[in-house]
């Protein structure tokens, strides 16, 4: 177990280094001019040469990329992610102020999409070939082919503009101080973005669960249970669901990366102040430090999801638990004969 944990810690460290190098290099090599993107073309043309040079030095536009990366990575090793030039504040404060909104949004969407997708997949498998099955598959195929921002725009027009049931955007009502915002206000503003992410994530979970459930219903032990007089629903409830748990857990934790990627577009559509919107702002403005910090946080979230899946595997299926090799296995690999191979002892 110690080797297992140590190997994952080493992989996590390598992942963070790779993400930092790739993100910093890509943003630095992008054609976006930080001065023009953040100051504006008209204001930039009206500046003097001295002020342009001062702003270029402030943004690090004239400093070689490797020097900026070495300085930034040195601060990262000390826990300093740098300063966001777009927000004019430390990157850690920008991420901390927006991480709660994004984590709450993704958490709700992750749970709802997993539970609803699993239920729809099981219902479709129990009604294979019937109208319910065709409706669920058609619903999932349409959602799987629809981009998240398009679904978000539709929900925004229907429920916020036409019906007026939900606010158009933002995470809190406009004009209220933080002390006056209630939990109900936050939930009301988060409803449409979370619903958009949930609808997008349902399709893959439902289709995958349906395929596995159809295989389970055609297995020998389900046939034996049906021969004993159990209905399809009772056989699935008693003997089939437990065999669907592990594939469902696998796919559900794999959804973390997809939900995080979808949240970037959804937050931009609904003007929801989360990490996704901050990443778009940093990318358009050439804010290397902020975008690199958000990339590190997102990579850590995805890695944590995969690690949690591996640990849950061991709880669901004991055969997948990381165990040390037995004494007989070590002796066999070392060339020592076993009782069956070395004759009578």
């Amino acid at each position: 177990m110690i080797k297992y944990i140590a190997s994952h810690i080493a992989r996590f460290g390598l992942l963070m280094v790779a993400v930092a190098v790739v993100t910093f290099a890509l943003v630095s090599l992008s054609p976006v001019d930080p001065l023009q993107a953040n100051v504006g073309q008209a204001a930039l043309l009206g500046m003097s040469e001295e002020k342009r040079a001062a702003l270029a030095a402030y943004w690090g536009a004239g400093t070689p990329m490797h020097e900026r990366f070495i300085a930034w990575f040195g601060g990262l090793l000390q826990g300093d992610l740098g300063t966001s030039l777009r927000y004019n504040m430390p990157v850690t404060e920008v991420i901390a102020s927006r991480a709660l909104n994004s984590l709450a949004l993704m958490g709700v969407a992750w749970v709802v999409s997993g539970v609803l997708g699993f239920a729809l997949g099981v219902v479709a498998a129990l009604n294979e070939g019937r109208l319910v099955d065709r409706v669920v598959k058609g619903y999932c195929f349409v959602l799987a082919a629809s981009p998240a921002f398009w679904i978000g725009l539709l929900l925004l027009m229907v429920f916020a503009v036409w019906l007026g049931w939900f606010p158009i955007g933002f995470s809190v009502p406009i004009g209220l101080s933080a002390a006056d915002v209630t939990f109900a206000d936050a939930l009301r503003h988060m409803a449409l973005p979370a619903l958009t992410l949930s609808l997008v994530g349902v399709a893959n979970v439902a289709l995958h669960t349906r395929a596995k459930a159809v295989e389970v219903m055609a297995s020998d032990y389900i046939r034996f249970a049906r021969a004993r007089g159990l209905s399809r629903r009772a056989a699935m409830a008693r003997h089939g669901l437990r065999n669907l748990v592990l594939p469902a857990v696998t796919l559900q934790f794999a959804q973390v990366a997809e939900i995080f990627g979808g949240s970037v577009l959804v937050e931009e559509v609904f003007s929801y102040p989360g990490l996704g919107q901050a990443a778009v702002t940093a990318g358009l403005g050439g804010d290397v430090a902020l975008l690199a910090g958000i990339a590190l946080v997102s990579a850590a979230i995805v890695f944590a999801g995969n690690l949690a899946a591996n640990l849950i595997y061991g709880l669901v299926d004991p055969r997948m638990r990381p165990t040390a090799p037995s004494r007989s296995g070590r002796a066999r690999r070392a060339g020592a004969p076993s009782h069956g191979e070395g004759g009578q002892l």
Side-chain angles (χ1 to χ4, degrees), residues 84-248:
S84 172
L85 302 179
R86 192 65 187 261
Y87 292 93
N88 196 25
M89 59 190 303
V91 172
T92 53
E93 294 184 9
V94 178
I95 294 177
S97 63
R98 293 172 174 262
L100 184 59
N101 290 335
S102 292
L103 290 178
L105 176 63
M106 291 186 293
V108 172
W110 185 73
V111 173
V112 172
S113 63
V115 174
L116 185 58
F118 185 81
L120 288 178
V122 173
V123 170
L126 290 175
N127 297 274
E128 184 181 5
R130 300 178 182 176
L131 179 60
V132 176
D133 184 26
R134 292 194 295 269
V135 170
V136 171
K137 289 192 298 182
Y139 164 77
C140 293
F141 289 147
V142 171
L143 286 181
S146 302
F149 72 90
W150 183 76
I151 296 177
L153 288 175
L154 287 181
L155 295 178
L156 189 63
M157 288 189 298
V158 173
F159 294 102
V161 178
W162 294 348
L163 298 178
W165 293 352
F166 297 98
I168 295 179
F170 305 105
S171 61
V172 294
I174 300 176
L176 289 182
S177 62
D180 296 331
V181 176
T182 63
F183 184 69
D185 293 332
L187 286 181
R188 189 165 177 266
H189 281 259
M190 188 177 62
L192 284 183
L195 180 61
T196 303
L197 284 178
S198 301
L199 291 177
V200 174
V202 161
N204 292 333
V205 178
L207 292 175
H208 186 272
T209 303
R210 178 195 175 276
K212 292 296 182 180
V214 169
E215 295 179 4
V216 168
M217 294 303 297
S219 60
D220 293 336
Y221 61 88
I222 292 294
R223 292 178 180 176
F224 179 74
R226 294 293 308 280
R228 293 171 53 196
L230 293 180
S231 63
R232 289 174 62 86
R233 294 182 180 179
M236 172 62 75
R238 293 187 183 183
H239 307 288
L241 291 180
R242 68 184 66 179
N243 293 305
L244 296 176
V245 172
L246 188 58

